[in-house]
Amino acid sequence: MWSEAVEALSTVLAATAGLVAPEVVLVGGGLSRAGEALLGPLRRRLDAKLTLQRRPQLQIAQLGDQAGLLGAGLLAWEQVGVRLVPENAPVADSQAETPSPRTACPTDSMSARM
């Protein structure tokens, strides 16, 4: 079953590499707990499938299986008009054109800017 999962994931990643040529692919969720036990075989299968495509780096996502939960929480805050952005957070170029207001959060050191 494990080899089937690695095979399926490597097939999807090979197709993705051919379409969008990512430099890095982050593995998150429950699979991220497997660490190198997953990444080693996945790298080998992916290398076998790719010919001329860029080989993306495979890494474990730092947030692991908490990424979806944290993203959903941030989305919920944004839906009610609260944008949680640390004061020292870098602003991406696309956000620089259309800045979002920052709102104070009582549990964090945020500043209000409107």
Side-chain angles (χ1 to χ4, degrees):
M1 185 161 161
W2 183 254
S3 62
E4 292 173 3
V6 169
E7 181 65 26
L9 190 52
S10 69
T11 298
V12 170
L13 291 178
T16 302
L19 291 172
V20 296
E23 290 185 29
V24 176
V25 171
L26 298 176
V27 178
L31 283 177
S32 66
R33 292 188 215 157
E36 202 54 44
L38 170 66
L39 293 186
L42 185 56
R43 284 185 188 107
R44 288 189 292 278
R45 288 304 306 139
L46 188 57
D47 282 346
K49 291 177 184 292
L50 296 178
T51 54
L52 300 175
Q53 299 92 338
R54 177 191 315 198
R55 283 163 174 72
Q57 282 184 333
L58 299 179
Q59 298 177 359
I60 297 297
Q62 288 182 337
L63 296 177
D65 59 357
Q66 295 295 310
L69 178 65
L70 294 171
L74 288 173
L75 182 60
W77 278 108
E78 286 183 5
Q79 291 297 312
V80 296
V82 177
R83 179 148 175 95
L84 301 175
V85 179
E87 196 54 39
N88 60 353
V91 177
D93 290 337
S94 63
Q95 291 178 346
E97 296 171 9
T98 56
S100 299
R102 294 183 180 191
T103 305
C105 176
T107 61
D108 205 352
S109 59
M110 306 285 177
S111 67
R113 182 177 74 165
M114 298 200 190

